[in-house]
Amino acid sequence: MDANGQERQLTLLDAGAQAVRFEIGARPVTMRRDEILAVDRVKDRNRDGVIKGALVGAILGGLIDSSVRGGGRFAIRSAVSYAAIGYLFDRAHTAREPLYRAPRP
C-alpha cells in the first residue's frame, strides 16, 4: 500500500536505501521508500483450498460411499461440497505475510 492508500500487486525487483523497484506486468516502476506504507507477501491462492477441500471430500465421501454402496454419488457430492468450503475458507483468509511496515510518525 502506498502513501495515497492505493493497494497494488507487484513483483519486487530491487530494494535500495532510498528507492524500491517493482514490476507491474512487464513495466518496471520505481518508488521512493517514503511513498510505501506496507508490503505484504501473498502466501497462497484460492485454488489451494479448493484442491485440499476436494481431496478431503473425496476421501470422506468415498468412505461413506463404500459403506452404503452409493455408486460414487457420495464421493462426488462430498468432493464438490468440500471444495466449495475450501474455496470459501481461503477467500476469507487472505494468508498475507507482512514484509515491511513504514514507521509511524
Side-chain angles (χ1 to χ4, degrees), residues 82-94:
Y82 275 81
I85 291 169
Y87 172 79
L88 292 174
F89 180 78
D90 264 5
R91 186 82 171 144
H93 183 259
T94 58

Side-chain angles (χ1 to χ4, degrees), residues 7-83:
E7 186 172 322
R8 304 173 193 206
Q9 199 165 17
L10 310 166
T11 302
L12 179 66
L13 296 176
D14 183 37
Q18 300 297 320
V20 179
R21 285 184 5 155
F22 297 100
E23 185 177 66
I24 302 174
R27 185 177 57 118
V29 175
T30 303
M31 296 178 73
R32 293 189 329 261
R33 276 204 184 253
D34 60 351
E35 294 177 322
I36 301 171
L37 294 179
V39 177
D40 293 333
R41 179 177 72 122
V42 179
K43 290 174 113 175
D44 65 0
R45 304 280 182 212
N46 292 339
R47 69 175 168 256
D48 182 52
V50 172
I51 293 168
K52 289 177 184 176
L55 289 173
V56 169
I59 291 169
L60 293 176
L63 292 174
I64 293 170
D65 207 35
S66 66
S67 66
V68 297
R69 294 184 181 94
R73 289 189 331 250
F74 291 104
I76 293 170
R77 288 179 184 168
S78 181
V80 170
S81 298
Y82 275 81

